[in-house]
Amino acid sequence: MQKQFVGRYFIALFILFISSLNAKGLVICNDNNIVNPRAIKEIEKIGDELKQKSGISILLCVKKSINGEKIKSFEKRLVKKITYPYILLTLSKDDKKVDIITSQDTAKYIDINSILSPFSGTIIPILTEKKGKDKYSAAMLNGYADIADRVAKALGIKLKSSIGNTNRILINILRVIIYGSFLYFVVFYIKRKYFTKKKR
């Protein structure tokens, strides 16, 4: 009788442990806190709400390096045993690689090329900023929120945790800065070339 009780007790503990892993399993990896705890908290908040309302898990993996491995191969290995609907956002800091893969049933909800666009996307414009101590946190939070918003919109779900237009405004400001700087250097180069020729 006592053995049965002990056995049931350990089974219950094991189930509880597995449940807690599933509940907080959206951030698969975050090497050396590349994405800061505050951003992780927001990401988990968004991800938990979407998972509860749609059954879809947006997973995040942030690595310092994947040691030269192709990011697609790394991602496929990471999700090999995942059977539930998922979208995985992966960043390798030192390799300067970022990617998104989906399970078959979630591919229709997002446009990966649009999210990862270096011009109109919500991740790469932030990552290409030379300055910014927390650009990785900002990029991952923005990208994650964008994915969640797109899935929610496709399914007709409203997310209370959505950061909505905040990330769009940030991206637009960065875009203006990047394009403005580029335009300034182009004009400066043309002026310099023109005036040098004129002096000769």
Side-chain angles (χ1 to χ4, degrees):
M1 196 72 179
Q2 193 176 353
K3 284 182 181 178
Q4 282 182 340
F5 174 77
V6 171
R8 284 175 187 171
Y9 176 75
F10 278 110
I11 289 168
L13 274 180
F14 180 73
I15 291 167
L16 190 66
F17 175 71
I18 294 297
S19 299
S20 68
L21 278 181
N22 288 335
K24 289 295 174 188
L26 297 173
V27 180
I28 298 173
C29 46
N30 181 26
D31 289 358
N32 304 325
N33 284 332
I34 292 168
V35 177
N36 71 48
R38 279 174 61 191
I40 290 293
K41 193 176 178 182
E42 285 301 311
I43 284 166
E44 286 180 337
K45 189 179 172 185
I46 295 165
D48 284 341
E49 186 183 356
L50 183 73
K51 189 177 179 181
Q52 283 173 20
K53 292 181 176 178
S54 69
I56 296 168
S57 296
I58 304 176
L59 308 170
L60 175 67
C61 181
V62 180
K63 298 289 288 179
K64 187 178 184 297
S65 172
I66 53 172
N67 303 313
E69 185 180 359
K70 288 182 179 178
I71 196 162
K72 289 284 183 195
S73 303
F74 174 79
E75 287 173 315
K76 283 174 184 175
R77 193 159 47 81
L78 209 59
V79 299
K80 209 170 183 180
K81 293 181 181 179
I82 296 176
T83 54
Y84 51 80
Y86 69 83
I87 296 167
L88 170 65
L89 170 60
T90 308
L91 169 75
S92 178
K93 181 185 172 184
D94 291 353
D95 301 299
K96 294 181 180 177
K97 291 178 180 178
V98 62
D99 193 43
I100 298 167
I101 64 166
T102 70
S103 54
Q104 275 189 331
D105 42 2
T106 58
K108 59 191 172 187
Y109 298 128
I110 60 168
D111 180 355
I112 293 173
N113 292 329
S114 173
I115 297 166
L116 295 178
S117 167
F119 305 108
S120 58
T122 46
I123 299 172
I124 294 174
I126 296 175
L127 291 176
T128 51
E129 277 289 289
K130 288 183 181 178
K131 293 180 181 178
K133 183 185 172 185
D134 246 0
K135 66 179 181 179
Y136 298 104
S137 299
M140 291 301 97
L141 176 56
N142 273 276
Y144 193 97
D146 187 20
I147 294 167
D149 283 346
R150 287 170 188 248
V151 172
K153 188 178 178 182
L155 294 172
I157 295 168
K158 284 192 177 182
L159 296 176
K160 290 178 183 177
S161 56
S162 172
I163 59 175
N165 291 326
T166 309
N167 65 335
R168 302 281 185 278
I169 293 164
L170 177 61
I171 291 296
N172 287 333
I173 290 168
L174 282 170
R175 201 172 287 139
V176 168
I177 292 168
I178 292 165
Y179 293 159
S181 300
F182 177 73
L183 190 63
Y184 171 79
F185 284 114
V186 168
V187 171
F188 179 77
Y189 175 78
I190 292 168
K191 271 188 174 182
R192 192 175 175 183
K193 202 170 182 182
Y194 174 76
F195 282 117
T196 305
K197 279 184 180 180
K198 206 172 180 183
K199 280 180 183 179
R200 285 176 186 174

